[in-house]
Amino acid sequence: MIAKTKIAERLIESILTGRLRPGVRLGEQDIADLFQVSRTLVREALIQLQARGFVEVRSRVGWYVAEPSFEEAQETYAARRVVESGMLRDAGKPLQAALGRLRQHIAQEQESIAADDAAQRSSLLADFHICLAECLGNRFLTSMIVDLSARSMLAAALYHSKAEAKVSNDDHAAIVEALVEGDNAKAEQLMIAHIDALKSRLDEGLAGNRRERDRLRSILIAQP
């Protein structure tokens, strides 16, 4: 039988790929039927995710994907600034195989941007940071960055416009090339600038507009 940890991991993966967006209802029975497990196991997985800030429970209504506040979104990027810059500062020179994997990831980002594949583009741009942590070989940092990237996806869905994908891809490419050159200090500074730019593009006004559109869509779809 699938463990509650695996259920939690699958839900986080769905946040990272943009399939689960802020405010989506998570029905216990629906998830239980999907994984063919008990509702008790699903509830335990959701409680685990609630403690990590990915889901919230609304009294007498049920479980929902978290909708981070604007302040929480800002704090997410502040945490990423510390963790990801420090990861690069303390890393040695990545292996050639790791650098090849990172370059391949950059190429996949570029392909998704050229193809105007919004879902894949968002997923790949978020996954770059996880891929980088994996390539630098620290399992504990990788786990932290998975969580921070998932939180960033929720924040971006509410507070970011969709017009900056090419800029992010260029930033990622520059970070990788600095690592290829063996200049970790440059890679660190580029990462700081990249995360600061992402944080600066948070727009509190976007969330209200999107929530209103979602409410209108649900009302119109419900009409006979």
Side-chain angles (χ1 to χ4, degrees):
M1 182 172 64
I2 189 169
K4 65 182 178 184
T5 303
K6 284 294 182 185
I7 297 172
E9 287 174 356
R10 289 285 295 278
L11 290 170
I12 290 174
E13 179 186 339
S14 294
I15 291 171
L16 282 166
T17 56
R19 292 194 297 271
L20 281 179
R21 297 176 62 79
V24 170
R25 189 173 188 279
L26 301 169
E28 286 183 9
Q29 190 60 57
D30 291 338
I31 297 172
D33 291 344
L34 178 64
F35 290 105
Q36 297 184 320
V37 296
S38 68
R39 287 184 63 174
T40 299
L41 195 66
V42 170
R43 192 174 301 117
E44 289 173 356
L46 291 171
I47 290 170
Q48 187 181 95
L49 289 178
Q50 182 186 29
R52 294 163 68 182
F54 297 122
V55 304
E56 57 192 25
V57 63
R58 301 176 187 173
S59 180
R60 295 190 295 276
V61 179
W63 294 94
Y64 289 80
V65 178
E67 296 183 276
S69 69
F70 189 70
E71 290 74 19
E72 288 169 337
Q74 291 178 310
E75 289 172 0
T76 295
Y77 285 101
R80 285 184 57 183
R81 190 183 199 273
V82 173
V83 172
E84 297 191 53
S85 63
M87 175 182 70
L88 287 166
R89 184 187 317 124
D90 295 337
K93 183 175 174 60
L95 299 173
Q96 287 301 313
L99 293 171
R101 179 184 170 195
L102 288 167
R103 278 179 158 168
Q104 182 179 30
H105 191 96
I106 298 298
Q108 290 172 337
E109 289 180 7
Q110 292 166 346
E111 289 170 5
S112 69
I113 292 168
D116 199 24
D117 186 335
Q120 186 180 37
R121 176 187 67 209
S122 297
S123 176
L124 285 167
L125 289 171
D127 196 46
F128 168 79
H129 297 268
I130 299 168
C131 181
L132 178 60
E134 289 173 345
C135 286
L136 294 178
N138 189 311
R139 291 179 295 120
F140 299 107
L141 279 174
T142 300
S143 178
M144 290 176 63
I145 291 172
V146 167
D147 278 12
L148 287 171
S149 294
R151 286 173 178 267
S152 295
M153 285 292 287
L154 294 176
L158 291 172
Y159 304 111
H160 269 170
S161 72
K162 304 302 181 184
E164 304 293 345
K166 181 64 168 62
V167 175
S168 289
N169 175 252
D170 289 343
D171 288 351
H172 293 172
I175 291 166
V176 171
E177 290 312 304
L179 290 173
V180 169
E181 295 164 5
D183 193 341
N184 285 37
K186 180 180 178 182
E188 177 191 351
Q189 291 306 310
L190 288 168
M191 180 64 80
I192 289 171
H194 172 57
I195 293 174
D196 284 350
L198 290 173
K199 184 180 178 183
S200 73
R201 293 202 293 267
L202 292 170
D203 183 347
E204 190 171 12
L206 290 174
N209 292 338
R210 287 177 187 167
R211 286 175 180 141
E212 287 303 321
R213 285 201 298 270
D214 289 342
R215 290 191 191 100
L216 178 61
R217 186 182 301 113
S218 65
I219 291 168
L220 291 176
I221 289 173
Q223 296 300 316

